Amino acid sequence: MSVISDSGVRAPSPPFTDEHEDLRATVRRWVESEIVPEQDTWERRREFPRELFDRAAELGFLGLKYPERLGGQGGDAVHDAVWAEELAAAGACGGVGAGLGAHTGIATPPIFSFGTAEQHERFLRPAIAGERIAALGITEPGAGSDVASIRTTAKRVDGGWLVNGSKTFITNGVRADFLVCAVRTRPEGGHAGISFLILERGMEGYEVSRKLEKLGWHSSDTGELAFTDVHVPEENLLGAENEGFKLIMANFQWERLLMALGAVGAMDWCLRRSVAYALERRAFGRAIGSFQAIRHKIAEMATKLEAGRAMSYAALRLLDSGQDALREVTAAKLFTQRAAVETADEAVQIHGGYGYMREYEVERVLRDARLGPIGGGTDEVMKEILGRGFGL
Amino acid sequence: MKICCLVKEVPDAAVQKRIDPETKRLDRSGENTLNQFDTHGIEAAMQIREGGVVDVEEIVAVTMGPGSAQRALHKAVALGADRSVHLSDDVLAGSDVCATGYALAKVLEGESPDLVLLGQQSDDGECYTIGAVVADHLRMPSLTQVIKMDVADGKLTCERQAEYGYDTVEVRLPAVISVGDAINEPRYPSLKAIMGAKKKPLDTKAAGEVGIESGKVGEAGSRTQVLAINPPPEKEPGEIIEDEDTNETVEKIVAWLEERKLI
């Protein structure tokens, strides 16, 4: 849905159809009526309620792209893309988007793609139903963008593995019922010895060591986890042993595209909010939007939004048609995350003193946006991927 | 029990509404959607079905409009209707409220519903009258602006929003009820329901198929005629009293109110 428009709402453009727009309207209504009025309280409490997962599940949002046989809605990746974009566009805070998004967008997809039928029943079905909350555990205190250097180890023992190590910056980490966790199953190091195990809350030695305080995303729980001789049974191995890097890479493209779409949604929100304020707020006897300085800021924001949207939708079209979209997704992620920070910053500037105050919300969007150029692979890593893609 | 829900395709709320000066009709280009008020009628039907007091065999969404109106029917089905009927014919273009009510009544005659539900107004025309016109043609009792409804023993007990408070009215079925938006909170259509909507039966009917006499519909068959369209007079700017000295400001406000005999 485009905000710069001379005739109101536009017809959907590919890959979106009327059905996607109807889903968008459903997400928007839910966010506006059940999330936006409550989220400031959640931000202050540093947690949105557990029941939000139940409600999202009840409305089908946790299983949009999963088949009906597992309790899903039978949709596809494009439906999930609508969900990611519209959560932000309708004004859900980054914390809510992160918590729900980590569950639907990064932690459950590997189980669907790489899990066995038995794992689908044990983990995916209850995750779609909102009964079990999922988290993805890759980052460690000593290994972020440098995924190959993770040090959490899983040693073969009778009937499974013994896991030792720690994970940090894990979204949903504090209350996750299970963790899709990257571990080293070969001592040699590098990409080759990484596997994925599903660790479950309640396993002996599985401990939430800390809930982390953050610049933004206040209502999402971000945890640090410690594992001491956690015995993980054989049947919790996700995908093939020592082939976890493939899983990470498969997931990253989708995660980054969802982040790009979320940033597009946030920019859309910032622009609409700023235009409304610029029309309403008066200074020196006229609406501030009639000053060229403000009007040009709005023009710049709109341009970044449309560029980011075009890049993200183009990457989505490629991925949706089964084509490789590494360059397009990487570029979209790189561009949109920085653009969202700049756009949110301009929104704060247009709002002046009120922009710095909590009640006007734009300051929160700026804080939330700052994670974008860091999470899911930093800007610097995106540039390395793009640059090396040219054989440099 | 069979419930028919009348629905209408209207311009999306975000679209700037415009009247075509030549045809003197609403310009319906741009994005359209299902009239928000009608979603409350569908929800009311769903709540009767789920309430379990009576057995609701079928909920049918009915609309009159051009080809694009099918989208409104898909949305109605996504919200719970079992199937839909689309009355579409060039002879219907330009029908006023009376002609539209007559045409919809002809479709409903063929359906023989026990209850007809609709929103109390449309987002575009805002006439509030279509329910009463339809009821008149069907010789059924009609209530408007209903905000509570209980069904039992072939009758409805309704609360109707009145100027001061509520009227409680009992109506025998079959009846035509137009509902206010306070009656319920329409459910969220799930993705499964949205995707399944196009698979549900949609019956398109031409005017002749439901026995509509062409002389009674369209511009020629309408009893009202739009002669001219004028914008509403511009509001006079209000008087701004700057608060420099609060005592003086209060005096000015009190004087202003007294002058108009408001205090």
Side-chain angles (χ1 to χ4, degrees), chain B residues 72-132:
Chain B
L73 288 175
H74 286 146
K75 289 189 180 214
V77 171
L79 287 168
D82 302 301
R83 65 180 174 88
S84 53
V85 181
H86 180 199
L87 174 64
S88 191
D89 202 311
D90 289 346
V91 301
L92 300 165
S95 293
D96 67 1
V97 172
C98 292
T100 303
Y102 159 73
L104 286 169
K106 295 306 279 182
V107 179
L108 293 170
E109 272 176 18
E111 293 288 340
S112 306
D114 300 291
L115 176 61
V116 178
L117 291 170
L118 68 155
Q120 67 180 20
Q121 73 204 77
S122 63
D123 262 344
D124 52 359
E126 297 198 79
C127 291
Y128 290 72
T129 44
I130 201 80

Side-chain angles (χ1 to χ4, degrees), chain A residues 8-10 18-19 22 26 29-30 33-34 55 68 73-74 79, chain B residues 12 14-15 31 71 75 185-192 194-195:
Chain A
V9 185
R10 288 195 181 141
D18 282 343
E19 280 175 9
D22 286 350
T26 302
R29 192 177 136 212
W30 181 59
S33 56
E34 297 184 26
R55 182 69 175 139
E68 291 183 41
Q73 295 285 310
H79 294 111
Chain B
D12 190 283
V15 174
E31 274 298 281
R71 181 140 159 70
K75 289 189 180 214
E185 184 62 36
R187 64 198 58 199
Y188 295 89
S190 69
L191 176 59
K192 215 188 293 183
I194 290 168
M195 293 195 302

Side-chain angles (χ1 to χ4, degrees), chain A residues 5-22:
Chain A
S5 171
D6 43 15
S7 59
V9 185
R10 288 195 181 141
S13 56
F16 305 108
T17 64
D18 282 343
E19 280 175 9
H20 295 105
E21 296 312 313
D22 286 350

Side-chain angles (χ1 to χ4, degrees), chain A residues 10 35 41 70 91 139 160 175 178 188 208 216 219 225 336 373 392:
Chain A
R10 288 195 181 141
I35 294 177
T41 310
L70 291 169
T139 302
R175 60 182 165 195
F178 63 87
E188 294 91 284
V208 177
S219 55
L225 306 171
T336 54
L392 302 169

Side-chain angles (χ1 to χ4, degrees), chain A residues 32-209:
Chain A
E32 287 177 346
S33 56
E34 297 184 26
I35 294 177
V36 170
E38 307 294 334
Q39 65 187 5
D40 190 51
T41 310
W42 302 343
E43 287 279 291
R44 287 172 199 276
R45 282 190 198 145
R46 298 292 193 264
E47 192 172 78
F48 64 79
R50 168 72 178 79
E51 290 72 31
L52 199 63
F53 281 98
D54 300 328
R55 182 69 175 139
E58 187 188 339
L59 298 174
F61 296 140
L62 302 187
L64 290 174
K65 60 180 176 299
Y66 298 127
E68 291 183 41
R69 66 182 159 79
L70 291 169
Q73 295 285 310
D76 56 32
V78 182
H79 294 111
D80 219 31
V82 168
W83 157 249
E85 182 185 351
E86 201 55 35
L87 267 179
C93 60
V96 166
L100 296 176
H103 182 88
T104 59
I106 61 172
T108 53
I111 300 184
F112 179 63
S113 303
F114 297 91
T116 61
E118 190 261 340
Q119 287 170 336
H120 286 171
E121 288 300 324
R122 277 175 62 211
F123 299 107
L124 194 52
R125 183 185 291 282
I128 291 169
E131 292 158 6
R132 298 187 87 182
I133 298 175
L136 179 74
I138 297 178
T139 302
E140 297 183 358
S145 294
D146 181 13
V147 176
S149 70
I150 62 163
R151 286 203 300 231
T152 294
T153 57
K155 206 174 106 194
R156 266 269 180 214
V157 291
D158 212 18
W161 285 268
L162 217 50
V163 176
N164 280 285
S166 60
K167 295 284 169 187
T168 195
F169 309 153
I170 306 304
T171 301
N172 293 342
V174 177
R175 60 182 165 195
D177 296 297
F178 63 87
L179 178 76
V180 177
C181 186
V183 293
R184 178 155 298 291
T185 36
R186 248 190 218 161
E188 294 91 284
H191 296 151
I194 296 172
S195 304
F196 270 83
L197 294 174
I198 304 173
L199 273 61
E200 297 176 68
R201 167 188 289 281
M203 283 177 167
E204 206 174 321
Y206 177 111
E207 191 194 344
V208 177
S209 42

